[in-house]
């Protein structure tokens, strides 16, 4: 489990991946007796310090479920400067909520990195069908 903690707090528990950072008051929301990341903060945390294909896949899912707005997320990461933010900005630039599943998103990222311009959920015309690249596990 990953936990983001304010700089002034220390958390040491087995099985917890801790990242300490400055947290603004609006970056968490109440949940029962504790506070959890706001949807926008959660999206940022999904993009920081992760492989680009995984970050994009998770962000695609967040946008597909309409948990955050793409423009709002782009503005949010544009104004930040913590470790990993350059890669997070790259992930946000590649986000496309049309991707239906994580493997599809990951394949799209690899195609973009190879210089191609894939279009999620593009259909060739009436009656045409093509094998879905996301139907198999991607390494």
């Amino acid at each position: 489990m990953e936990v983001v903690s304010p700089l002034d707090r220390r958390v040491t528990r087995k099985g917890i991946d801790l990242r300490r950072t400055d947290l603004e008051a609006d970056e968490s929301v109440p949940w029962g007796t504790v506070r959890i990341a706001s949807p926008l903060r959660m999206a940022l945390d999904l993009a920081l310090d992760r492989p680009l294909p995984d970050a994009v896949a998770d962000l695609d899912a967040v946008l597909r479920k309409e948990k955050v707005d793409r423009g709002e997320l782009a503005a949010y990461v544009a104004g930040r400067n913590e470790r990993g933010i350059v890669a997070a900005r790259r992930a946000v630039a590649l986000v496309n909520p049309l991707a239906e599943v994580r493997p599809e998103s990951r394949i799209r990222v690899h195609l973009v990195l190879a210089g191609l311009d894939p279009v999620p959920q593009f259909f060739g015309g009436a009656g045409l069908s093509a094998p879905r690249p996301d139907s198999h596990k991607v390494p």
Side-chain angles (χ1 to χ4, degrees), residues 86-117:
V86 172
R89 288 183 190 128
R90 174 81 166 130
V92 170
L94 293 174
V95 167
N96 190 321
L98 294 177
E100 292 179 340
V101 293
R102 292 184 84 244
E104 179 182 0
S105 298
R106 293 180 75 228
I107 289 170
R108 188 180 79 251
V109 170
H110 289 291
L111 292 173
V112 168
L113 294 176
L116 300 172
D117 187 21

Side-chain angles (χ1 to χ4, degrees), residues 12 28 36 41-42 45 55 78 84 99 105 109 113 116 126 136:
T12 55
S28 65
I36 61 171
R41 177 67 210 203
M42 181 245 341
D45 291 334
S105 298
V109 170
L113 294 176
L116 300 172
H136 301 304

Side-chain angles (χ1 to χ4, degrees), residues 44-81:
L44 172 65
D45 291 334
L46 288 171
L48 288 172
D49 294 329
R50 301 190 57 226
L52 185 62
D54 294 336
V56 171
D58 287 341
L59 291 176
D60 281 354
V62 168
L63 268 68
R64 185 175 53 256
K65 295 292 184 179
E66 299 179 352
K67 299 297 181 187
V68 298
D69 175 75
R70 184 180 190 165
E72 186 180 15
L73 179 58
Y76 187 62
V77 299
R80 309 224 28 133
N81 64 1

Side-chain angles (χ1 to χ4, degrees), residues 1-5 9-12 16-20:
M1 172 178 11
E2 180 177 306
V3 174
V4 177
S5 173
R9 294 207 181 127
R10 298 215 182 267
V11 177
T12 55
I16 291 181
D17 179 18
L18 176 68
R19 184 162 40 90
R20 294 175 62 225

